Amino acid sequence: MMIPKEKDAGGTNMVHRTFTGPKFTPWRVRHVGPVYRFALDTYASFKSVWRILTSVQTAFVAFLSIASPCFFYWYREGDGNALSFDMNWSLISIAVLFPLTMSVTSAFDRREQAIAVLATFKANLTSIYFAHKDWDWDQGGAKSRAGNLNTLRHDHISDVSHQIATLVKMTIRLLRAPIISKARHRFTARGRAESARVSSQMTALDTRIHVSIGILSKLVEELKDAGLPGNEASRIRQYFTAVVVSYEHLRSLKSYRTPQGIRTFARVFIMLTPIVMGPYYAYLAGTDDTTEGVGLPFTCFFSLLASMSMQGLFAIRVKMEDPFSDGAEQAVTDTVDLKEQFASLFYILRQTMINPAAIAAAPADVVEGVAVCRYDTPVCKEEEADEDDDEDEDEDEEEE
């Protein structure tokens, strides 16, 4: 079905005349057969599971899962009897599976909150930008349009764009900071030192963010000095309030996680489960000729499968704890892609930057195609140095 194109009085296509953004192309989706699609989905699922389970803790739990059945299978007491008996799995469900499923649900809810708050944060920043750029408050007032323009700096909207870009850039860097609420950050000297260092950097980023918010607030006062009515200025202030509330919510989601006790309890019991269930695995395998069993190889496989199931849930919960993690975690846990979330806002801001050619020629001052440091100042140089430090410090951490 063709959509009729609206035309102006001169017959010019209004859509083509007014739209200046990137051109759209038809969707190019390759249709494949159900068998091939099933093969692709299966391969992707196994690859995701491999990424989830690839960790030092997984290797340690796998070793215990195989060593424990073998030990109790060959172990004999003084009278020659094997230490094997039937056991109930209720203890495992209460001690491990219940806290795991509850914490996974809580981590997923945090991700959903992060998506909603980010949308509010971005929407209100976009509203602030268009309020400065497009509101026709100078039409039909007591002063002429030319008079109002003379009282407002010609680079006013460019300054607004730069401050919003700086605000978003600093927010992204803060949300991508390493997690410092793990057990080792509280109970080890090295962890506490790492926590103090990251906390100081986050405090500096928080200060810069509030400075940008303050500058944006002063730019509203410039509009009022140029003749912006008080009721419209109040509307922009409402956008500012929503931005500040959203930012504080995002910072809280970054700083605080699910209760430490649940995470530690689940971790310890996942490692203890193969040992505690060792006598049951020996009973399942059959320890002598008079006891029927499924054999040691299948028992080791069953023990490994049970432990990997619990370890997989735990790994997913750990990776989902930070809804803003980037890199490999996004492929397996669907965490928030900050670059994608703010791509459209960065594109809009770039349209009103000063000297786009100079921006393109200075990649060090560009964040996703947007210059955020206009002047050669110590603050700009410090930001570039911090970015270099972040690249060196963003290493894959072991889950607590």
Side-chain angles (χ1 to χ4, degrees):
M1 177 179 177
M2 297 295 294
I3 300 177
K5 297 180 179 179
E6 185 179 358
K7 297 184 178 181
D8 60 9
T12 304
N13 190 298
M14 294 182 64
V15 176
H16 292 171
R17 181 169 63 89
T18 59
F19 182 71
T20 60
K23 296 182 179 179
F24 296 102
T25 58
W27 298 109
R28 299 185 182 276
V29 180
R30 180 182 177 184
H31 298 282
V32 297
V35 176
Y36 185 62
R37 185 165 55 248
F38 168 76
L40 291 177
D41 292 340
T42 304
Y43 166 77
S45 298
F46 275 99
K47 189 172 183 179
S48 297
V49 171
W50 172 258
R51 287 189 176 183
I52 291 172
L53 293 177
T54 303
S55 67
V56 176
Q57 179 173 333
T58 300
F60 182 70
V61 172
F63 168 76
L64 292 178
S65 301
I66 297 176
S68 179
C70 293
F71 172 81
F72 285 98
Y73 180 80
W74 282 305
Y75 174 77
R76 293 293 184 272
E77 296 180 316
D79 55 1
N81 294 326
L83 183 60
S84 63
F85 48 84
D86 193 8
M87 295 180 65
N88 195 308
W89 283 82
S90 299
L91 173 65
I92 305 303
S93 62
I94 295 175
V96 180
L97 296 181
F98 178 73
L100 269 181
T101 53
M102 292 294 293
S103 58
V104 168
T105 302
S106 176
F108 181 79
D109 290 341
R110 286 164 53 85
R111 171 186 174 274
E112 296 302 298
Q113 290 182 38
I115 293 175
V117 176
L118 269 178
T120 303
F121 182 73
K122 174 185 172 183
N124 284 279
L125 283 177
T126 306
S127 299
I128 291 174
Y129 168 78
F130 282 115
H132 284 270
K133 178 177 179 291
D134 294 333
W135 281 10
D136 56 350
W137 47 269
D138 52 350
Q139 296 281 357
K143 297 181 180 180
S144 66
R145 180 177 177 84
N148 285 331
L149 287 177
N150 288 335
T151 59
L152 187 64
R153 293 183 296 109
H154 70 282
D155 57 348
H156 173 87
I157 185 59
S158 179
D159 285 347
V160 172
S161 300
H162 283 290
Q163 291 304 323
I164 293 178
T166 302
L167 172 61
V168 173
K169 173 195 172 184
M170 295 294 106
T171 302
I172 291 176
R173 290 180 61 187
L174 185 142
L175 295 180
R176 285 181 173 175
I179 294 178
I180 54 174
S181 58
K182 298 182 178 181
R184 68 170 182 268
H185 295 125
R186 300 182 181 181
F187 301 108
T188 65
R190 185 173 181 177
R192 287 192 292 268
E194 179 185 354
S195 176
R197 179 172 56 84
V198 175
S199 296
S200 63
Q201 294 176 353
M202 293 181 65
T203 301
L205 289 172
D206 183 71
T207 301
R208 296 182 187 181
I209 289 171
H210 284 90
V211 167
S212 293
I213 293 176
I215 295 175
L216 285 171
S217 178
K218 292 180 180 179
L219 290 173
V220 176
E221 296 302 314
E222 284 191 1
L223 289 181
K224 292 174 64 177
D225 292 340
L228 178 70
N231 60 334
E232 296 194 3
S234 177
R235 177 66 61 85
I236 301 178
R237 295 295 183 188
Q238 293 177 5
Y239 298 150
F240 271 104
T241 301
V243 166
V244 175
V245 171
S246 300
Y247 165 72
E248 295 298 337
H249 196 169
L250 291 172
R251 180 177 170 83
S252 298
L253 288 173
K254 179 65 180 182
S255 301
Y256 298 96
R257 306 168 65 197
T258 54
Q260 178 67 49
I262 295 179
R263 303 196 302 269
T264 304
F265 198 78
R267 176 189 293 276
V268 171
F269 265 84
I270 286 175
M271 292 187 287
L272 290 179
T273 294
I275 301 175
V276 174
M277 298 298 293
Y280 169 75
Y281 291 140
Y283 169 83
L284 183 65
T287 55
D288 51 44
D289 296 336
T290 60
T291 304
E292 294 184 359
V294 296
L296 183 61
F298 181 81
T299 301
C300 290
F301 172 75
F302 178 77
S303 173
L304 183 64
L305 182 64
S307 296
M308 291 300 100
S309 299
M310 293 182 289
Q311 175 61 23
L313 285 175
F314 181 79
I316 291 174
R317 186 206 62 76
V318 169
K319 293 179 184 296
M320 291 183 63
E321 277 291 324
D322 184 6
F324 310 106
S325 61
D326 57 354
E329 285 77 5
Q330 289 182 349
V332 295
T333 57
D334 294 328
T335 52
V336 181
D337 190 342
L338 295 174
K339 177 180 178 181
E340 180 182 0
Q341 286 288 322
F342 290 104
S344 59
L345 179 58
F346 278 129
Y347 177 83
I348 293 173
L349 294 176
R350 191 179 184 184
Q351 309 309 307
T352 51
M353 292 295 177
I354 292 180
N355 195 359
I359 294 173
D365 295 339
V366 177
V367 180
E368 306 301 339
V370 179
V372 295
C373 274
R374 292 177 51 198
Y375 310 108
D376 187 15
T377 63
V379 174
C380 293
K381 295 180 179 179
E382 182 182 355
E383 291 176 359
E384 295 173 11
D386 289 344
E387 288 179 359
D388 295 336
D389 293 340
D390 290 343
E391 293 178 358
D392 297 335
E393 295 168 359
D394 289 344
E395 301 176 351
D396 293 335
E397 297 182 338
E398 295 178 7
E399 297 89 355
E400 77 250 39

